[in-house]
Amino acid sequence: MPTFRAPRGTRDLLPAERAAFRRLETIATDLTERYGYREIETPLLEQTAVFERGVGAVTDVVEKELFLLAPRTEEAESWALRPEPTAGIVRAYIQHGMQTLPQPVKLTMTGPMFRYDRPQAGRYRQFWQFDVEAIGDAGPAIDAEIIELALRFYGEAGLKRVEVHLNSIGDAACRPAYIEELTAYFRGHVEELPQLERDRLERNVLRLLDSKDPAMAALNAAAPRITDRLCGPCAEHFAAVKTHLDALGIAHVAEPGLVRGLDYYTRTAFEFYAPGREGQQQALGGGGRYDGLVELLGGRPTPGIGFGVGLDRVVLALAAEDVATPPETRPLAVVVGADPAATADRLRIATELRAAGLPVRAELTVRKLGKQLESAARDHAHFAVILGDELAGGQVQLRDLEAGSQQLVPLVDLARKLAAAAKSHRHGVGEG
Ligand code: HAM
């Protein structure tokens, strides 16, 4: 057993897995650029109140899963690691006066989030999200555009069959009456409620609907549904979102029990699932409209909508579907030498080639030429640059390890020759 291990629920992304994440980040960057989103980066931590007010004090995410930082002094304000990006991005929108920019302000961010959850497959304490927010457009067209963008991300990543589960959860006009009705319903079943849900009944009854407790499944299935109690404007908005999805040819599954785990949502709410995995709390992503959040965090009333994709889960789903991960990168050439001790020559020539933009490794270990060549082959290098007596005359041997051929090349031509060869040579293990 090693002395130290990564904290429970966190993990190291080793190079092969990191490459799979990098590939997704590249797809996310290309896509969001195409759709007119600009990148933002907020701190990993915020004042705890940003999450208490934004996400909601009586939610699993804040009540049970927040990573609180120990204050260094008594008067220090309370900080927490971000459990999700939306509250922080909206805090930044307000702080930097983005209300004065042309609306909507379209922002994207990809990075780690932290939730002190019970770790299991696909559920970590540090996980990565690709997040998109469009602030300042009341919809409904942008609701459909955002859902389509998320689906295109999954598709380009290699998951072709992701389903959209869709609901509307009303707004300040129709939700209060629904909450009263829902509270009355659960009061009638108070004896069957687990303790945490009983405590929440009078404080935030909606959260009972997304309880992870198996004891709640049957009760929730029979609970009154918000979709049947939407006010006129909310019902109209919901219908228009569906019309726009239809116009894009996007099928969706109506999910009247979908209320999301965060308090800021209004109207449109959605989640993405790989078919067959719906019941396991393993959404590949989710999002929705949050028309009250900007005001809740101290800004002017401003509508907004966004989504977050769980990249860890996308990587798992891709592995389950055998979508190839990117090949490991390999050097174009390795600089080796007949004189084991002449490490300075090997380093100097590799440095010049790298300065010319070529992926080249120098063999810096003092060992025999045969061993140096073996390690170049193990790296799947295309070429070995072999330094020998010819170096005094400004020449080196260039060996094509794949073709098995070798030629004498003047040093002044070496970078140009390698660059030309690199063009006709595709990088990646197993492709050469
Ligand atoms: P969320 O549904 O809480 O929404 O998280 C989004 C996605 O992050 C989930 O669907 C899931 O794929 C992934 N995820 C959540 N928790 C974990 C975990 N413990 N381990 C691994 N993956 C996880 C939000 O966070 C909202 N901010 C989305 C949003 C943006 N709504 C509007 N704008």
Side-chain angles (χ1 to χ4, degrees):
M1 279 283 276
T3 311
F4 296 113
R5 307 177 68 89
R8 187 167 133 79
T10 73
R11 67 207 199 284
D12 304 302
L13 300 180
L14 301 182
E17 196 178 359
R18 186 67 191 87
F21 274 73
R22 164 71 68 197
R23 175 177 163 272
L24 295 180
E25 288 162 14
T26 304
I27 294 170
T29 306
D30 291 351
L31 257 184
T32 47
E33 253 177 47
R34 218 184 303 161
Y35 282 69
Y37 286 80
R38 300 185 69 204
E39 231 178 304
I40 186 171
E41 194 74 44
T42 65
L44 294 184
L45 57 155
E46 295 277 350
Q47 281 178 268
T48 307
V50 170
F51 304 122
E52 286 170 347
R53 275 217 240 165
V55 174
V58 188
T59 57
D60 275 359
V61 166
V62 169
E63 216 169 24
K64 297 201 294 185
E65 299 169 4
L66 214 51
F67 264 95
L68 293 168
L69 300 180
R72 299 196 70 96
T73 58
E74 271 178 22
E75 65 275 18
E77 56 196 4
S78 169
W79 292 320
L81 294 181
R82 63 185 186 197
E84 63 95 51
T86 311
I89 290 175
V90 168
R91 190 265 312 136
Y93 173 91
I94 300 165
Q95 179 179 339
H96 302 287
M98 292 191 228
Q99 300 96 316
T100 59
L101 301 176
Q103 306 290 303
V105 175
K106 294 160 93 178
L107 300 169
T108 182
M109 182 165 89
T110 296
M113 308 295 151
F114 304 85
R115 294 184 193 178
Y116 195 78
D117 207 343
R118 198 162 53 81
Q120 50 187 285
R123 190 175 294 284
Y124 308 102
R125 287 181 175 171
Q126 178 177 344
F127 60 98
W128 277 260
Q129 270 191 22
F130 156 44
D131 180 83
V132 159
E133 311 290 352
I135 308 176
D137 185 331
I142 199 159
D143 303 34
E145 183 184 62
I146 274 233
I147 290 171
E148 191 275 333
L149 165 53
L151 285 174
R152 191 164 300 277
F153 171 80
Y154 295 118
E156 291 197 1
L159 300 173
K160 302 289 181 205
R161 297 181 309 130
V162 172
E163 280 177 1
V164 190
H165 291 202
L166 185 68
N167 198 20
S168 172
I169 58 171
D171 66 4
C174 49
R175 215 175 318 160
Y178 172 67
I179 285 176
E180 242 174 69
E181 189 181 347
L182 193 63
T183 308
Y185 166 78
F186 280 118
R187 276 188 195 137
H189 295 275
V190 74
E191 298 305 322
E192 299 154 61
L193 296 179
Q195 191 56 49
L196 177 73
E197 312 307 336
R198 211 176 290 184
D199 293 345
R200 283 179 172 177
L201 172 55
E202 306 297 333
R203 293 190 296 153
N204 192 354
V205 69
L206 273 184
R207 294 285 70 85
L208 271 62
L209 292 178
D210 52 61
S211 165
K212 290 175 198 155
D213 195 319
M216 293 296 293
L219 271 182
N220 280 341
R225 294 176 155 178
I226 177 77
T227 326
D228 304 328
R229 285 133 182 107
L230 294 178
C231 59
C234 281
E236 219 169 275
H237 184 273
F238 192 31
V241 172
K242 290 192 250 187
T243 307
H244 283 84
L245 287 175
D246 291 345
L248 295 175
I250 293 175
H252 61 268
V253 182
E255 189 58 79
L258 191 163
V259 290
R260 310 274 300 131
L262 318 165
D263 275 354
Y264 49 62
Y265 290 111
T266 52
R267 296 191 166 175
T268 314
F270 51 85
E271 280 172 352
F272 302 99
Y273 289 93
R277 308 221 53 180
E278 300 85 350
Q280 302 169 38
Q281 305 246 359
Q282 290 283 2
L284 293 171
R289 186 158 274 295
Y290 45 84
D291 294 344
L293 181 57
V294 177
E295 198 177 0
L296 212 57
L297 292 179
R300 282 206 304 265
T302 309
I305 183 165
F307 67 75
V309 167
L311 293 183
D312 311 71
R313 291 184 190 175
V314 173
V315 169
L316 284 172
L318 288 171
E321 294 203 4
D322 273 337
V323 178
T325 49
E328 282 177 45
T329 50
R330 55 176 180 154
L332 176 66
V334 176
V335 182
V336 300
D339 176 2
T343 47
D345 286 338
R346 301 202 283 275
L347 178 58
R348 176 173 51 81
I349 286 167
T351 302
E352 285 167 12
L353 293 172
R354 291 188 288 235
L358 299 166
V360 172
R361 178 170 76 79
E363 178 61 48
L364 298 179
T365 314
V366 178
R367 53 181 166 179
K368 289 205 176 103
L369 178 58
K371 291 281 179 209
Q372 297 181 41
L373 283 167
E374 271 174 34
S375 102
R378 219 173 13 245
D379 274 3
H380 300 282
H382 192 157
F383 296 95
V385 174
I386 307 172
L387 312 186
D389 297 338
E390 307 91 352
L391 190 58
Q395 290 187 310
V396 296
Q397 294 285 352
L398 181 60
R399 183 181 294 183
D400 186 327
L401 296 169
E402 284 170 7
S405 55
Q406 186 165 316
Q407 61 181 136
L408 204 57
V409 173
L411 258 181
V412 287
D413 293 340
L414 185 59
R416 195 173 41 79
K417 258 196 144 37
L418 279 172
K423 270 203 194 120
S424 58
H425 151 94
R426 288 192 305 146
H427 272 268
V429 174
E431 286 181 9

